[in-house]
Amino acid sequence: MTSLAGTGTLLRFSLRRDRVMIPVWVAVNALMVLSMPNTLKGLYGTETERADLLQQVATNSSFRALIGPAFGTDLGALTVWRVGVYAGALAAVTALLVVVRHTRDEEESGRQELIASGAVGRRASLTAALLAAAVASGVLGLLVAAGLAGQGATGAVAFGLGLAGVGMVFATLAAIVAQLTESARLARGLTAGLLGAAFVLRAAGDAASTDGSSVWTWVSPLGWLENLRAFAGERWWVLGLFAAAVVAQGAVAYALAGRRDVGMSFLPTRPGPATGGLGTAAALAWRLQRGGVLGWSIGFFLAGAVYGGLTDGVADLVGDNERAREIFERMGGQSGITDAFLASMTGMLGLVAALYVVASVLRLSGEETSGRAEPVLANAVGRLRWAAGHLTIAFGGAVLIMLLAGLGFAVGYGHQVGPVLGACLVQVAGVWVIGGVAVLLFGLLPRAAVAAWGVAGAVLLIGWVGPALDVPQTVLDVSPFGHLPKLPGGSMRWPPVLVLLGLAVVLVAMGLAGLRRRDLTT
Amino acid sequence: MTKAITVAGLHKSFGRTHALDGLDLEVEAGEVHGFLGPNGAGKSTTIRVLLGLLRADSGAAQVLGRDPWRDAVEVHRRIAYVPGDVTLWRNLSGGEVIDLYGRLRGGLDPARRADLVERFELDPTKKGRTYSKGNRQKVALVAAFASDVDLLILDEPTSGLDPLMEEVFQRCVEEERERGRTILLSSHILSEVEELCDRVSIIRKGRTVETGSLADLRHLTRTSVTAELAGAPNGLAKLPGVHDLDVRGRRVRLQVDTDKLDAVLRSLTDSGVRSLTSTPPTLEELFLRHYQEA
């Protein structure tokens, strides 16, 4: 087996490089799953309440599309219903990132050449990448199985195996895609797109049938996870589907990997134009960011439409449950469950938009550290002009995607168009403050600019989990989003919005002042 | 205005490392000035200060008569810069990047651009991620040479170019010189420096250790002499400027400071010369001496 020579060394090397990334992804995923039985216990404490829930899920096709069908009333089965699809998707993302990072990323950067020139087999890198993904998926499966064992050991083992299975299906799929494309970014995008397709297929299937028996559900690996029916009469043979897919896809990836040159791909990059029309720093920024803006725009519009479509059903679903109503009202204000739901969903999208603004602002940081900013700034382009292009896209894009989310609600829900649009736009104040923090970090502490992700993550955590966990108000107050008026339903209060917008302006100005003064990092 | 670049007593520290420690540099308008020094001597740091990308801790720098930090944009309108390691955007073609850089400088000559693309044998339709190292350099070189500027700052611009392309590069630099443009060329390729540079500055550990024309610098170094004599050599060891004297019977090898050559030759002819070879210092020796000096 000379084609596998060096696999052990490469695997240790991969795991060392991923010693932060894999544990973080796995821990977040496991925590999400393992916290669920307690949350559900608080929400639906009695058998009757859970039976009601099951009944309502069965009759509401929008909810089945979003979350999947439920197969049992005990806490284990409900946990699998509530987070199964999402935990599976997260496991898939973890695995695909690991595989692409250690295969196509390495080739594209040229690092693979050095590795391949050593006593390393032709298929060793791919094998090591898949094994690293197997470690990540396996540890997640073990943690989940161990953590849920209290709800029933058999179901816990089945769900753990199912999650690991989804991870490995997408690991081997990513291994194939990584052979096809020349760019790691494209490989990640395509595999994530296939994951999205798997989600949509399952959603379509679950909308059409109450018990996951639709063909659409069965063609999606995420559908297999729900059809494994952990905690609800496990169908062990479904695990065979995972195994068959992993073996088949793995075989294809191995066959491709052995047949091509290092650094080459089966889908070569198409040539571009010989002359270009880009002439300003702003045009360059737009060219670099337009794909991202388009993706976020589509995503926010669809999210708005989906949540809008759920709005009518939510009152029925939550209506009788005192605790769930309370949580929505803490997130969304106290003025009827429909308004509270709309307010909490628009608030949630605002929190997600904070991720957009951070990603967009930090493009500046990426341009700088990669060395691409240096020759641009050596031209007749001032630093502020250079930054302004990216920041216009970041801050203007935040307005755009919230506006599109509002239009999505208008399409999906159709009532209260004006107030819901206003509720979306008011989020911009919070989003801009987070964007301002990112600019400040980039301007004053360029090496710590990635800490802006930490800020966005903390705000996200406070906003999503805070209301359900009875977190003290002082902690909730740290987040700019906590100060926004709860719309629709609540009354519009301008002072906090204006204060936040002013704060954002000050943060951006301070960041830009720092950028003008400091050395460019290389 | 005859000085394109004047730098006096430049200091720059990064944390505890002193990258520049009182560096001086003068580049006359219209000359090709070689900028030499071992790795880590501070060449790129100096260039980044001249481009206003870094702010000097102390000392004075003027580029085209202006402050490169305060008047960065005005100065950059008249400058083209080629870094030693060009990174491109993966999804932009080489042609798009050339035109972008040209427009950001205030325009480039389309005829000259087309000519340069052909001479450098660059395929401008390829995307950034598919270029090799040498081809990425070509993208930046075409953009720089096609721009209408007064000063070119080239930081090891030919790393990764093959000998044929090196030749094209040298011809382009000659053409720029003929047009009266000033070029600051940081390089490790000695033949390139010898071929192109009117004057050179050698820096080490953030200081200028030597500056002048190559002829001046040669004058400061040693010539090696090997001679077969008719009689025994006499008194060579006592002559000033003689080093590494090695006498074996009538065969003599020695190194002599070039400005002390006269006295040595006189002493040799006194003993009667049968054969004589005298080798001027090679550039390599010249640089090694300056690079290694404690």
Side-chain angles (χ1 to χ4, degrees), chain A residues 2-15:
Chain A
T2 54
S3 72
L4 294 180
T7 303
T9 313
L10 284 179
L11 174 62
R12 278 196 300 279
F13 177 59
S14 304
L15 291 176

Side-chain angles (χ1 to χ4, degrees), chain B residues 75-93:
Chain B
V75 172
H76 292 175
R77 271 186 229 289
R78 298 166 59 198
I79 287 185
Y81 165 59
V82 177
D85 197 356
V86 177
T87 30
L88 300 175
W89 296 274
R90 51 181 69 205
N91 53 350
L92 294 189
S93 72

Side-chain angles (χ1 to χ4, degrees), chain A residues 272-273 276 287 367 374 519, chain B residues 12 55 81 89 93 96 99 125:
Chain A
R287 174 68 186 269
E367 289 288 289
E374 188 180 293
D519 290 343
Chain B
K12 177 74 191 175
R55 179 157 32 190
Y81 165 59
W89 296 274
S93 72
E96 285 180 288
D99 289 341
T125 65

Side-chain angles (χ1 to χ4, degrees), chain A residues 255-284:
Chain A
L256 294 175
R259 277 181 180 71
R260 66 182 183 83
D261 300 336
V262 169
M264 296 297 121
S265 70
F266 288 94
L267 300 174
T269 312
R270 276 172 304 159
T275 58
L278 293 176
T280 62
L284 175 65

Side-chain angles (χ1 to χ4, degrees), chain A residues 108 182-185 269-281 284 287-288 367 370-372 374-383 516-520 522, chain B residues 12-14 48 51-55 69 72-73 76-77 79 81 83 87-96 99-101 103-106 113 124-127 129-130:
Chain A
E108 194 188 10
E182 232 165 69
S183 125
R185 205 185 175 128
T269 312
R270 276 172 304 159
T275 58
L278 293 176
T280 62
L284 175 65
R287 174 68 186 269
L288 297 176
E367 289 288 289
S370 69
R372 290 188 292 259
E374 188 180 293
V376 170
L377 290 170
N379 293 317
V381 176
R383 293 184 183 190
R516 277 185 67 172
R517 250 161 245 260
R518 71 173 170 85
D519 290 343
L520 218 61
T522 43
Chain B
K12 177 74 191 175
S13 304
F14 300 104
R48 289 196 178 109
L51 290 168
L53 300 171
L54 300 180
R55 179 157 32 190
W69 176 266
V73 173
H76 292 175
R77 271 186 229 289
I79 287 185
Y81 165 59
T87 30
L88 300 175
W89 296 274
R90 51 181 69 205
N91 53 350
L92 294 189
S93 72
E96 285 180 288
D99 289 341
L100 171 70
Y101 284 166
R103 290 206 186 89
L104 290 180
R105 265 174 214 138
R113 174 194 189 278
T125 65
K126 285 177 75 170
K127 298 277 180 69
R129 62 167 162 268
T130 58

Side-chain angles (χ1 to χ4, degrees), chain B residues 146-219:
Chain B
S147 300
D148 182 21
V149 292
D150 299 328
L151 172 65
L152 289 126
I153 295 182
L154 312 177
D155 188 0
E156 297 180 32
T158 57
S159 48
L161 291 193
D162 65 38
L164 284 176
M165 290 304 133
E166 173 71 42
E167 187 95 12
V168 175
F169 166 78
Q170 293 192 9
R171 215 161 306 138
C172 288
V173 171
E174 295 290 355
E175 287 167 19
E176 296 300 313
R177 190 215 314 264
E178 278 157 31
R179 291 173 199 214
R181 290 174 184 165
T182 311
I183 295 172
L184 179 66
L185 172 65
S186 151
S187 175
H188 284 303
I189 303 172
L190 300 176
S191 60
E192 180 178 287
V193 173
E194 190 169 28
E195 191 69 33
L196 297 174
C197 296
D198 304 306
R199 293 197 314 137
V200 301
S201 292
I202 300 178
I203 70 166
R204 202 161 44 78
K205 293 184 181 164
R207 278 171 196 269
T208 312
V209 291
E210 207 67 69
T211 185
S213 71
L214 283 176
D216 292 343
L217 295 187
R218 277 217 174 90
H219 200 62

